[in-house]
Structures are given as structure tokens and as C-alpha cells.
Amino acid sequence: DGKTTGQAASFSTSTSGGFPAMYVRNTLSGTVNAIIFHQGSPSGAVGSITMSGGSSTGFNTSSDYRLKTAVTYDWDATTRLKQLKPARFKWIVAGDDAVFVDGFLAHEAQAVVPEAVTGTKDEVDDAGNAVMQGIDQAKLVPLLCKTILELEARITALEA
């Protein structure tokens, strides 16, 4: 879009009619990479967006065991999960047509699962503009799964 500072590439559209700012098309069969994210060297892939089977999209992050250390399965997920505060809210930008959606306030979730949240609460840039926080809700899934396993074990013990 003509910007020359601040990012390697920027795409935008101002045309009405639902035209995308970026369009990725695959004509191959099977699973293919639409976008690959690298940190550092070309061999430092940290994630990808894949397309598969003509109707599926995968948002992938690194998870190979060879990238991890100090792996443990002994931690209390239920206590941590109970600290999360799921909320219902309306998006301001939607105006009068806003409908309630389910989600989290990033700064509240950050206290429990910091790796799921980007940015800092109430951050502003050098020009005084608000820098909004973001949340990757997929990073809450391990906490949810571990809590289910803990609750299942408790139910089994109570039934016995």
C-alpha cells in the first residue's frame, strides 16, 4: 500500500464489496503451506498457515519435542483455569448493530496465561496512540485439556 517504513509488507483495501486485502490461492492437492513464518535463519520455521483438502485451513505453531526442555505433566491446571474470567461483550466498532460475543479481556487473561497475550495493558506509542493488546485463544487449549483430565480423575475417584 505504498508504506516504506515500519513493516516489510503492508496490504490494504479501501474498495467496498468485500474484496480481501490479501488473497492466497492453492491449486495443488494435499496439504500445502500458504504462509511459513521464520525467526532468524530460513531453517528457523516457527509456524505456518496451511491449506488442506480443499476445505481446511491450519494455523500451526512449533511444537516438536526437540524444541523443548524441562517437560512436565505434573501441574495444577484446574486452579489456574478457575482464575480465567470468560466474558460476554460487544465490540465498540460494531456500533448499534453490535451483538454479544464470548471471549476474554487480554490483560485479565495475561495474568493467568501470559504466553497467550501480546502487548501491555494501556500501552501507547511515542505519538500517544493506543497500542491494543491481542490474545491467541488457542494457547488456552492445553490448560482446558489438562483441567478436563484432572476433573475426570476426580470424578473417577468419587465414583470408586
Side-chain angles (χ1 to χ4, degrees), residues 59-102:
F59 298 89
N60 314 294
T61 190
S62 299
S63 188
D64 192 289
Y65 74 96
R66 295 168 293 179
L67 298 170
K68 301 170 184 179
T69 186
V71 175
T72 181
Y73 301 96
D74 185 27
W75 48 282
D76 179 8
T78 304
T79 300
R80 287 182 61 212
L81 181 78
K82 292 189 321 189
Q83 295 173 43
L84 286 174
K85 296 167 59 176
R88 289 185 57 76
F89 52 86
K90 295 181 179 185
W91 291 107
I92 294 170
V93 70
D96 293 338
D97 296 327
V99 296
F100 278 99
V101 295
D102 302 326

